Structures are given as structure tokens and as C-alpha cells.
Amino acid sequence: MKKLYIVGAGGFGREVFTWASHCAAHQRDWVIAGFLDDHPEALTDKPTPVPWIDRPGTFPLAEDAVFIVAIGNPAIRRQIHCLLRDRGARFVNVIHPTVVLGVGVELGCGIVLAPHAVVSAHARLGDGTVLNLQATVQHDAVVGPWSQVSCHADIGGGAILGAEVLVGTRASVGPRVRVGDGVRIPPATHVDADLASAGPGSQLSGWGQFRKPQNCMDPTRIYLSPPHLEGNEGAALQAVLESGWIAPAGPALGDFEQEFCRLTGVKHAVALTSCTAAIHLALLVAGVQPGDEVLCSSFSFAASANPIRMVGAEPVFIDSEESSWNLDPALLEEAIEGRIRATGRPPKALVLVHIFGQSADLDPISALCERHGVILIEDAAEALGAVYHSRERGDLVPGTIGRIGTFSFNGNKIITSSGGGMLVTADPDLAARALFLATQARDPAPHYQHSTLGFNYRLSNVLAALGRAQLTHLPRRVAARRAIFDTYQRGLGSLPGIAFMPEPAWSRGTRWLSCLTVDPQAFGASRDQVCQALASENIEARPVWKPLHLQPLFAGCPTFGGAVSEAIFQNGLCLPSGSNLTPAHLERILRIFRRSGGHPS
Ligand SMILES: *Cc1c(COP(=O)(O)O)cnc(C)c1O
């Protein structure tokens, strides 16, 4: 571990400290030891996260010390640089944002540039260069020894990296690149083709064929809700691989569950292969038996109701209310009473969906369930990060209010473990039972002994590590999705015939997908025509969920109401809602949307 000293504790030095901290956080082979400055008194009124150490002239140079000279005045910079150089110091450079270096440029040591630099072809970079975040080094450049090419940097084909060069995570390395001794290329780096040569001691850790570095789908297409990778996922995967805990289970699973509990305030969480599996187990541990009836929100994805059939029970569908698009409490009461009249007993359970991340009205719904002994299971697949403002109980977390709740980490959800789900409950016995069933229901015996039908539903430890990395982004993911909804609403909400999914006072949803309805007469184009217009520009938009009571699979199931979700389905549209959408994407979508109805864009 080298110690980095930033020479100059003024404004520039502090800024360089910020960029250098980003590098340190990702690269970890040096730590920022502190500032060197001839005027330590300048620091006293401006506290910094690292201390003033010494004056550059008197600082005892150690073997592990490296320097960035961050002094604005060129004459003083040269003077201090020479002073340190003559004493045998090693320098690192920092490459500045927006800087573009022309073809064939040569750089010596001690130059400070920063994030987003572009270094043109055939450049020669001196020893100890720091190329910051998202820098581009074009083909056939030469990068000197001890340099650092930071996260998301792009190194063109035929480049030569000197000895001990450190390449940051998610950098992209072109074909025929030659690397010197001891060069380290970390996981999640995109190496376009074989390295022409890698010197002794070089480490090429994994992921050598990672073709597209970030959010690795077709970059020309705008997806409905693609995965959003931040960059910490690669390190998390690398760490779990290095730990050896690929299987069975492993510590990342427990950590993921605990962090999930902390985040949602729930007592027990069991990480599973999917939310569908979680709903299946929820019904089993709730004691739903073949022949039982289970109530279910009709306006949802098939995965809310399929597990009801998987346990041999029959779904009874309940329509939405207009104010939230979620299960209508008045119809719930009607349904419970209706089924008691028809069958002599209340339905065993309710699968309550928080659709598009909007909380259903939990106060009256949970009260009705309690009164009639209906077990409340919440399908919060789309609602991780939502809030329910209870009239009596303050703010609650949808998914944690019923007897059991379920969440999804499928690739299109708010955060993803590539695939996965979570079952949560306040009841330790239910959690233990779910874990038992999820891991093949093996009885406690030295041999394989089974007296219960079990399942293989446990999330892999590797995916749990991915889930943990993604979980840290949750608040920002929800904020981004809500901001996207607001942008659409601002851009389209005043057009004739356009109505956005309402948000009642009790709900602060995730806006997992931005949904609206299109009245074809008033707007000038139907939902399907809008969809078509977007599709022809390679933009993915989709109709809202088709109500489950209309699905052929569930034909004939008892249904209460239906007109509300049918009307939403008739004209309802989901617009691209990924938290990684850019303002330019949104502009484009708004323009095409407006134009499709003949409105000026
Ligand atoms: C995605 C989704 C599911 C299923 O989640 P998986 O993790 O993909 O099994 C269930 N219910 C709803 C409402 C969903 O949106």
C-alpha cells in the first residue's frame, strides 16, 4: 500500500483530494496520507478529512510515498516539483475533466488532469500518471510505469501499459494492448481481445470477455426497466468469488437478509430465487391447503396468482379502486362476505399487490383481513422503497404489514440480484419454516430424511452479494424513478386525453413504472399507436398488466368488480422507467409521444 501525499492544501489541493479519494475508494493500492504544504496555518479554519503532514522540503521521503503536486501557480508548482524530484520523489498525475489531449501528445510526470479526460491516439503518458474516472486513451498510446487508469477508463487498441500500471474496475481495454510487469487488470474490466502480451506478475482477474462494460444491453435501445449497475457490483462479485463461498449458502446471504431487515424494519427475511418462489412459500407456510380459496388483486402480473394454483388452491379476484389502481377495500369486504355465503367459510388468505410500486390502502385492508381471519400476504415485488402513510399507525413499509411479505430482485425491478426474491415476516416460526421448505425440507437426521415436500428455492450466495451491492443504491433508485415520473407528468400531463396514475395521500410509491392512460379521441392516437411510434424509434413501452380475471388461465375464477382494472388496461401504458434513463432519453421519449398524437413537440 503506497501513501499518497497531496502537495498543496489550497482549493486545488482539496479538489484533487476529492478526485483522488474516488480513485482510492476503487483501487485501494494507495491511501491518501495527507497534505504537504508550507503554510499549515491555512488549513486550520478549513477542516479536511486528511491531516496536514509536513512541509514538502522537510518531509522525510519513505519508499512507499507517492505525490500529486496540486498547486495552481505554475512557477511555484515547478519549484516544488523539482524540489521533491531532486529528493527522489515519485509522482502521480491526475487528469482533469473535459481535457482532450491531441494526437501524439507526450506527458511527463507530475501533471494533474481529472475525470473524463480524453487522450488522443499515439499519446505518451509519463510515469505515475493518474487517468481519472471515465478517461479515454485512444489507440496506440503509451502509458508510463506506476500509472493508474481509473474506473470506466477506455484504453484503445495497441496501447502499451508500463510496469505496475493499475487499471480501475470497469475500464475497457482494447485489442493488442501490451502490459508491463505487475500490471493489474481488475474484475469487470472489459478486455476486448487477448492481450498481446502480459508481463510476469500481471494479474488479469476474471471477466476478460465482459463485452459491454456498463448496463450491458443494446445501447441504442431504450428499455422499459433495465438493470442499473453502479460499478460496486463487480467488486462485490470479485469479493464473493475470492471468499470461495460460491456454494452452499454462504455469509453474503445472511448479510443480505440482515441488511434487508434493517432497511425495511422487518424482523425476519429469507432470500430466495424469486418473488414467485416467495409467494409460493408464503402460501405454504400460511397453511393454504388444496381446495382453499385465496383472494388476489386482479390488476397484477400472473406471478401474483400462479402460486395460488401451485398449492392447489383457487384464486378469487378483486378489482382495483380508481384512486390507487390497487385492490378496492369495499370490494374486499364484499368478496369475503360473498365467499362466506357461497362456501360457508372465509377465504384462507389474500395476496395483496402493491401495483407499480404504489402502496395499497393497508389500514382498511388489514383491518378486514384481521376481522375475518384472512391471512394477509403482500406481494411487494414492485414496491421496495415505498411508504404507506397510515392514518393510525404513522408511516409503514408496504410488504412488512401483513403476516408475510414478498419482494422481487428480478432484472426489471428497482434493484436486482440478476434474479431473486425475499420473503419477510415478523414471525420467527414462519421464517424458519420457509427456509426449511426452500432448502429441500430435509429432516434433522445424519442421512437424507424427508417427511415434507420441499423445494430448491434458496438464493445463491453469489447473487446475494450482488443484491447487497445493489441494495445500497435503493434510496437513489426510488428517487430517480419518481423524478422520471414527474418529468413525464410535466411534459405530457397537460395534453388532452392523458391521465397519469394517481397517487393518493396515503401513498408514496416507488413509481417502479411510469404509467398513464391515453384517451384515443382526445389525445389523437391510441395507446397502441403511441406504443408503435415509440417502438419504431427503438423505445420499449408496454401496455399495463392485463387484469388476471381476464386471463385465459384464470377463466371462470370468482371475481368481484372488474370494470376499473379493465378500463385501465384498455388504455394504460407503461413508459420507459429505468433509473439509468438520461435527460436526453426522456426528451426524446416526450418528443415522440407528443408527435404521435399530433401535438407540437
Ligand atoms: C415481478 C413480479 C413478480 C414476480 O417476481 P419474480 O422475482 O420475477 O418471481 C410478482 N409479482 C409482481 C407484482 C411482479 O411485478
Side-chain angles (χ1 to χ4, degrees):
M1 184 72 78
K2 296 191 179 77
K3 292 201 175 92
L4 174 68
Y5 297 91
I6 299 172
V7 186
F12 189 23
R14 286 149 191 277
E15 202 163 339
V16 168
F17 167 78
T18 308
W19 308 331
S21 326
H22 294 167
C23 297
H26 285 280
Q27 300 192 343
R28 297 205 186 104
D29 81 325
W30 42 258
V31 288
I32 304 175
F35 289 101
L36 302 182
D37 198 302
D38 280 326
H39 303 282
E41 64 279 8
L43 268 176
T44 53
D45 58 322
K46 296 185 199 106
T48 58
V50 291
W52 174 81
I53 304 279
D54 202 343
R55 291 165 216 277
T58 52
F59 175 64
L61 285 188
E63 184 63 24
D64 61 354
V66 291
F67 300 87
I68 296 172
V69 180
I71 295 172
N73 182 312
I76 300 176
R77 186 171 65 235
R78 182 163 5 102
Q79 186 199 328
I80 300 283
H81 182 95
C82 292
L83 174 85
L84 283 165
R85 184 199 58 198
D86 293 344
R87 297 184 60 208
R90 272 185 194 171
F91 296 96
V92 288
N93 298 7
V94 175
I95 309 257
H96 201 277
T98 72
V99 166
V100 178
L101 297 179
V103 174
V105 150
E106 295 195 19
L107 288 183
C109 298
I111 290 173
V112 180
L113 308 156
H116 298 283
V118 175
V119 179
S120 287
H122 298 286
R124 307 181 72 81
L125 306 185
D127 300 1
T129 301
V130 175
L131 280 166
N132 250 290
L133 306 176
Q134 313 225 344
T136 299
V137 180
Q138 293 186 340
H139 64 88
D140 297 302
V142 179
V143 179
W146 310 300
S147 298
Q148 305 209 3
V149 180
S150 285
C151 304
H152 294 275
D154 203 337
I155 302 168
I160 299 174
L161 307 183
E164 301 283 347
V165 167
L166 235 198
V167 176
T169 46
R170 288 195 174 273
S172 152
V173 180
R176 303 178 325 282
V177 167
R178 275 163 289 168
V179 307
D181 300 357
V183 167
R184 269 153 296 163
I185 297 183
T189 297
H190 160 51
V191 180
D192 205 26
D194 294 351
L195 293 181
S197 71
S202 299
Q203 292 174 16
L204 248 178
S205 25
W207 313 108
Q209 302 306 315
F210 211 84
R211 286 283 149 185
K212 296 246 172 58
Q214 174 96 11
N215 297 317
C216 49
M217 303 163 84
D218 178 354
T220 63
R221 179 162 173 75
I222 300 180
Y223 290 88
L224 187 70
S225 182
H228 185 168
L229 298 172
E230 188 89 0
N232 66 333
E233 295 86 354
L237 286 172
Q238 174 73 0
V240 75
L241 295 182
E242 281 171 1
S243 78
W245 283 107
I246 309 304
L253 268 171
D255 291 343
F256 187 31
E257 289 166 346
Q258 269 176 27
E259 286 156 15
F260 197 87
C261 286
R262 219 171 300 139
L263 194 84
T264 57
V266 79
K267 287 241 171 60
H268 306 280
V270 183
L272 300 168
T273 48
S274 71
C275 182
T276 311
I279 299 170
H280 186 193
L281 293 185
L283 292 164
L284 288 172
V285 302
V288 176
Q289 301 285 325
D292 282 345
E293 285 188 340
V294 175
L295 302 163
C296 184
S297 307
S298 183
F299 189 51
S300 187
F301 179 47
S304 302
N306 284 344
I308 298 171
R309 283 274 175 80
M310 287 156 70
V311 302
E314 265 304 288
V316 173
F317 293 111
I318 301 175
D319 196 15
S320 300
E321 54 182 357
E322 270 167 15
S323 64
S324 70
W325 293 15
N326 274 314
L327 181 133
D328 183 339
L331 284 177
L332 173 63
E333 184 160 29
E334 200 179 294
I336 295 173
E337 287 168 359
R339 294 323 291 167
I340 292 173
R341 275 195 303 278
T343 67
R345 58 185 180 140
K348 181 79 185 177
L350 162 65
V351 178
L352 174 68
V353 182
H354 301 292
I355 205 68
F356 298 123
Q358 170 137 282
S359 178
D361 196 359
L362 282 160
D363 280 342
I365 292 169
S366 49
L368 277 167
C369 286
E370 222 154 276
R371 181 165 354 125
H372 293 283
V374 175
I375 296 170
L376 177 57
I377 296 169
E378 291 177 84
D379 176 358
E382 305 167 0
L384 179 58
V387 180
Y388 175 69
H389 306 299
S390 163
R391 294 134 183 111
E392 295 121 36
R393 296 176 278 173
D395 281 357
L396 304 176
V397 176
T400 69
I401 304 311
R403 185 81 59 83
I404 306 162
T406 65
F407 294 87
S408 174
F409 314 119
N410 186 39
N412 65 356
K413 296 304 198 292
I414 292 166
I415 62 160
T416 182
S417 58
S418 140
M422 195 74 87
L423 179 150
V424 305
T425 178
D427 183 331
D429 296 336
L430 290 185
R433 183 78 184 158
L435 180 60
F436 171 72
L437 294 177
T439 50
Q440 307 283 27
R442 197 177 151 192
D443 294 339
H447 56 278
Y448 283 92
Q449 172 84 12
H450 298 274
S451 39
T452 312
L453 180 64
F455 304 88
N456 186 2
Y457 278 171
R458 190 68 164 136
L459 188 67
S460 119
N461 195 59
V462 176
L463 297 190
L466 192 53
R468 285 185 70 199
Q470 286 258 305
L471 201 58
T472 60
H473 308 310
L474 180 68
R476 276 177 293 136
R477 293 287 181 274
V478 172
R481 289 199 189 245
R482 287 187 63 88
I484 287 164
F485 181 94
D486 291 344
T487 303
Y488 284 134
Q489 198 168 34
R490 268 197 312 279
L492 305 170
S494 57
L495 294 178
I498 298 299
F500 278 80
M501 179 178 180
E503 184 168 67
W506 71 69
S507 167
R508 187 182 185 279
T510 61
R511 298 297 194 190
W512 171 56
L513 296 181
S514 287
C515 302
L516 51 87
T517 54
V518 181
D519 176 334
Q521 267 73 49
F523 178 66
S526 68
R527 181 266 315 272
D528 293 338
Q529 285 166 328
V530 175
C531 243
Q532 267 304 309
L534 291 165
S536 68
E537 301 264 357
N538 209 10
I539 296 168
E540 184 183 28
R542 289 202 193 162
V544 296
W545 300 125
K546 178 174 179 171
L548 296 173
H549 71 269
L550 298 181
Q551 295 289 358
L553 176 63
F554 298 117
C557 290
T559 300
F560 290 81
V564 173
S565 60
E566 284 167 25
I568 298 170
F569 171 60
Q570 181 78 28
N571 293 323
L573 179 65
C574 308
L575 289 175
S577 305
S579 45
N580 43 10
L581 276 179
T582 64
H585 287 146
L586 290 166
E587 281 281 304
R588 221 178 111 210
I589 295 163
L590 288 173
R591 213 166 44 238
I592 297 162
F593 192 113
R594 296 174 74 98
R595 215 169 48 206
S596 71
H599 302 277
S601 53

